[in-house]
């Protein structure tokens, strides 16, 4: 999400509280919906002899477990920073996404395995009852409505976890559509359509689980923020009065937030206090315009020797010669 526009509201304690309350409210809504769907789908699926509807019911059950994982993460990620976690507990959300991804991957592979087993024995596939088709249609409508509700709330409070959970509901709606088509094909005289639909649902669930787990693993390994957001942060730093140049901007994800390290080039002739004030202003600008948790700034002298960027591969030289070489290097950096 790019929030370089000055009109965007900064992250405040009130905004964080609103995000936490929204996560709890929408997730409990999802819990109720998935609980009802799980019971109805599995019971009707067994009675109507529809493997795909039972698979979709197991999918809803995994969603129910995932909802409790989200509630757990939302509760713990809102805790204030402490001595053991000086940057806060935002990565609880990332860890929850990793657990959710692993859960979905396991469930999807299990459903896929079961469906393939049925396809290997086509004579064992029964004709399903029409009640399964009605349940699949109702599930599709319920999941789509849940998706629209959760997506709207997630965007409003700027919670990546809620938005991810919303798209999870949309994928559930798509899988319910596949299940409905499979059941309709079975009723039309093509029995294999039902296990084929179950296999497709299993593949979709496994694929989604892998995506969630991979992204969460990337963030837990201090993966960088989106390139567009990094560019916007760099522009905000460069636009601060007194900043002559910006380099070595590095970012890492911390839940939905970002931690930033950057080097700012300022006039070498000004006082340390003046350079510090420029760094404070640059930090305040980034914190107010972007989803940034903290900014660590290193101040470099502009058009003066900067040993941070001396080329260690060059041989040692006399101080005067070294000064001449580094000055040229820093002048180039200042012109970046």
């Amino acid at each position: 999400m790019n929030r370089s526009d000055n009109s965007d509201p900064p992250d405040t304690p009130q905004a964080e509280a609103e995000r936490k309350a929204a996560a709890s409210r929408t997730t409990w809504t999802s819990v109720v919906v998935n609980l009802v769907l799980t019971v109805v789908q599995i019971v009707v699926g067994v009675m109507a002899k529809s493997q795909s509807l039972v698979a979709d019911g197991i999918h809803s059950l995994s969603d129910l477990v995932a909802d409790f994982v989200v509630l757990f993460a939302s509760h713990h990620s809102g805790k204030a920073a402490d001595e053991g976690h000086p940057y806060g507990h935002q990565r609880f959300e990332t860890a929850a996404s990793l657990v959710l991804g692993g859960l979905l991957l396991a469930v999807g592979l299990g459903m896929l395995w079961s469906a393939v087993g049925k396809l290997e024995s086509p004579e064992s596939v029964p004709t399903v009852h029409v009640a399964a088709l009605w349940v699949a249609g109702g599930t599709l409508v319920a999941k789509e409505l849940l998706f629209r509700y959760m997506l709207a709330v997630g965007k409003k409070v700027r919670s990546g976890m809620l938005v991810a959970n919303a798209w999870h509901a949309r994928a559930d709606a798509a899988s319910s559509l596949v299940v409905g088509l499979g059941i309709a094909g079975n009723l039309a005289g093509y029995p294999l359509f039902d296990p084929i639909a179950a296999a497709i649902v299993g593949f979709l669930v496994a694929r989604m689980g892998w995506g969630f787990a991979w992204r969460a693993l990337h963030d837990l390994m201090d993966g960088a923020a989106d390139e567009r957001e990094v560019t916007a942060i760099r522009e905000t730093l460069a636009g601060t009065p007194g900043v002559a140049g910006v380099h070595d901007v590095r970012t890492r994800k911390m839940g939905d937030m970002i931690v930033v390290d950057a080097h700012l080039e300022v006039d070498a002739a000004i006082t340390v206090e003046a350079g510090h004030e420029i760094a404070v202003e640059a930090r305040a600008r980034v914190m107010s315009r972007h989803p940034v948790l903290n900014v660590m700034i290193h101040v470099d002298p502009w058009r003066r020797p900067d040993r941070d960027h001396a080329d260690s591969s060059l041989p040692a030289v006399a101080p005067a010669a070294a000064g001449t070489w580094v000055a040229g290097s820093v002048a180039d950096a200042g012109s970046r």
Side-chain angles (χ1 to χ4, degrees), residues 51-191:
Q51 183 185 10
S52 62
L53 189 59
V54 172
D56 210 26
I58 296 174
H59 187 188
S60 296
L61 179 61
S62 71
D63 295 342
L64 189 60
V65 175
D67 288 335
F68 281 106
V69 171
V70 170
L71 285 172
F72 174 81
S74 177
H75 172 72
H76 287 279
S77 64
K79 290 182 178 179
D82 54 34
E83 184 176 352
H85 303 84
Y87 288 102
H89 298 75
Q90 284 82 359
R91 277 189 175 167
F92 259 103
E93 289 194 7
T94 309
S97 295
L98 181 60
V99 172
L100 174 60
L103 172 67
L104 292 175
L105 181 59
V107 170
L109 291 176
M111 290 191 294
L112 189 58
W113 179 268
S114 177
V116 169
K118 284 289 186 180
L119 290 173
E120 290 178 345
S121 305
E123 68 282 354
S124 66
V125 180
T127 301
V128 303
H129 191 277
V130 70
L133 184 60
W134 286 103
V135 172
T139 302
L140 171 61
V141 173
K143 290 287 189 178
E144 179 65 20
L145 292 176
L146 183 63
F147 158 72
R148 293 178 182 273
Y149 166 67
M150 296 181 72
L151 183 64
V153 175
K155 287 184 174 180
K156 180 181 178 182
V157 300
R158 295 179 282 109
S159 171
M161 182 175 64
L162 286 182
V163 171
N165 220 23
W167 281 104
H168 183 191
R170 164 55 72 83
D172 294 346
S175 70
S176 295
L177 176 60
V178 172
V179 168
L181 294 174
I183 294 173
N186 182 286
L187 291 171
Y190 301 94

Side-chain angles (χ1 to χ4, degrees), residues 250-272:
R250 294 180 293 181
T251 63
R252 62 184 187 273
K253 295 295 296 297
M254 187 71 67
D256 284 325
M257 305 295 283
I258 304 170
V259 176
V260 180
D261 298 327
H263 285 226
L264 302 186
E265 298 161 8
V266 301
D267 188 349
I270 64 177
T271 64
V272 172

Side-chain angles (χ1 to χ4, degrees), residues 261-322:
D261 298 327
H263 285 226
L264 302 186
E265 298 161 8
V266 301
D267 188 349
I270 64 177
T271 64
V272 172
E273 182 179 6
H276 172 73
E277 289 301 318
I278 293 173
V280 168
E281 175 62 21
R283 181 180 186 274
R285 286 176 172 235
V286 171
M287 297 282 288
S288 66
R289 300 180 185 183
H290 305 275
V292 170
L293 181 66
N294 188 53
V295 183
M296 179 66 70
I297 292 178
H298 177 87
V299 177
D300 288 330
W302 183 54
R303 297 188 184 280
R304 285 289 179 87
D306 176 7
R307 289 184 296 172
D308 280 351
H309 297 85
D311 190 344
S312 59
S313 65
L314 293 178
V317 292

